[in-house]
Amino acid sequence: MTKSEMMRQMIDTCILNTLKFRFVLMDNWFSSEENFDFIAGKGRHFIAALKVSRLVALTEDDRKNKSFVRLDELDFPEQTAVQGWLKGYAKESLLVRHIFTNKDGGTGVLHLVCSDLTCDYGAITTTYKKRWKVEVFQKSLKSNVNLAKSPIRSVRIKSKHIFMFICAAFKIECLSIKNKPIPLALSQAIHQRIAYRL
């Protein structure tokens, strides 16, 4: 099973469990026409990162004439969502170039596509930022719980392990909100202590 197939299966599960959501947020690994069609077919919208080499057309005539241009060659107005078409994807979408400053002071560029034509630049970039906390949680889950290297084979014990980690992550988040963000070392110590208790 590919990562995209797993993602589509997860979306199906969310819908089956009547989880309320409007957008599916994804990085450029999942930005395929097949995934876009699947999400739109489920009555949901997507906001996805795009590689700079992705080809787009900004007018219907350009799309019909197959006159596509690379994203990094387009002149985007600042903080504006531009309507256009991705090569290979038939539906009109909104395209955004988001320029941001990294922690090291360097500049980063993020290209996004959104299927909801009622959104603006602010709504697209703000919604996409919510994805980052999930990414941080997933990385923490992989490194602190160390599931890939775990000698545990029992599904029941692994489930407890994951549940206790989620409890620890929730407790750390509560402490961060109540006080100040807690240091990474303390966060890791809490995770290790809970994992040790298992």
Side-chain angles (χ1 to χ4, degrees):
M1 185 178 278
T2 67
K3 287 183 178 182
S4 287
E5 287 169 338
M6 288 171 70
M7 181 197 76
R8 292 194 293 269
Q9 190 177 59
M10 284 189 252
I11 292 169
D12 273 336
T13 302
C14 290
I15 292 169
L16 183 68
N17 291 334
T18 63
L19 185 72
K20 293 182 179 179
F21 65 99
R22 181 177 170 199
F23 290 102
V24 175
L25 310 176
M26 56 193 145
D27 63 18
N28 58 27
W29 288 97
F30 299 96
S31 299
S32 70
E33 291 74 29
E34 188 178 5
N35 288 338
F36 293 162
D37 284 331
F38 175 83
I39 293 164
K42 297 292 179 181
R44 302 302 193 275
H45 290 288
F46 59 82
I47 300 176
L50 298 172
K51 293 181 180 177
V52 294
S53 59
R54 195 69 181 256
L55 299 174
V56 298
L58 296 183
T59 66
E60 180 72 32
D61 288 339
D62 284 346
R63 186 179 76 84
K64 286 178 181 175
N65 297 328
K66 298 182 180 178
S67 180
F68 292 94
V69 183
R70 284 173 52 112
L71 270 173
D72 57 353
E73 294 174 0
L74 285 175
D75 185 25
F76 274 80
E78 280 191 37
Q79 299 188 351
T80 306
V82 177
Q83 292 186 341
W85 288 263
L86 297 173
K87 185 176 183 181
Y89 184 62
K91 296 178 183 170
E92 188 175 13
S93 306
L94 291 176
L95 303 166
V96 163
R97 179 178 289 154
H98 178 56
I99 300 171
F100 57 92
T101 305
N102 293 313
K103 287 182 181 178
D104 64 0
T107 302
V109 178
L110 180 66
H111 291 93
L112 300 172
V113 61
C114 176
S115 62
D116 185 355
L117 299 178
T118 65
C119 288
D120 61 8
Y121 174 89
I124 294 168
T125 54
T126 302
T127 303
Y128 191 75
K129 280 179 191 172
K130 294 177 182 179
R131 186 189 142 272
W132 185 245
K133 287 204 175 211
V134 177
E135 191 78 26
V136 170
F137 177 76
Q138 181 195 12
K139 284 182 182 177
S140 182
L141 180 64
K142 285 167 103 175
S143 61
N144 292 323
V145 179
N146 218 354
L147 291 178
K149 296 177 184 175
S150 173
I152 301 166
R153 294 289 170 249
S154 164
V155 174
R156 184 169 167 261
I157 295 172
K158 262 195 181 178
S159 298
K160 285 183 178 181
H161 197 140
I162 294 168
F163 177 75
M164 291 304 291
F165 172 79
I166 292 170
C167 289
F170 178 75
K171 188 74 170 174
I172 289 168
E173 191 65 25
C174 288
L175 287 170
S176 295
I177 292 168
K178 193 174 183 179
N179 304 310
K180 293 178 181 175
I182 60 176
L184 180 62
L186 177 59
S187 166
Q188 289 171 338
I190 292 169
H191 289 302
Q192 288 170 353
R193 186 168 184 150
I194 285 180
Y196 176 75
R197 287 183 180 176
L198 291 173

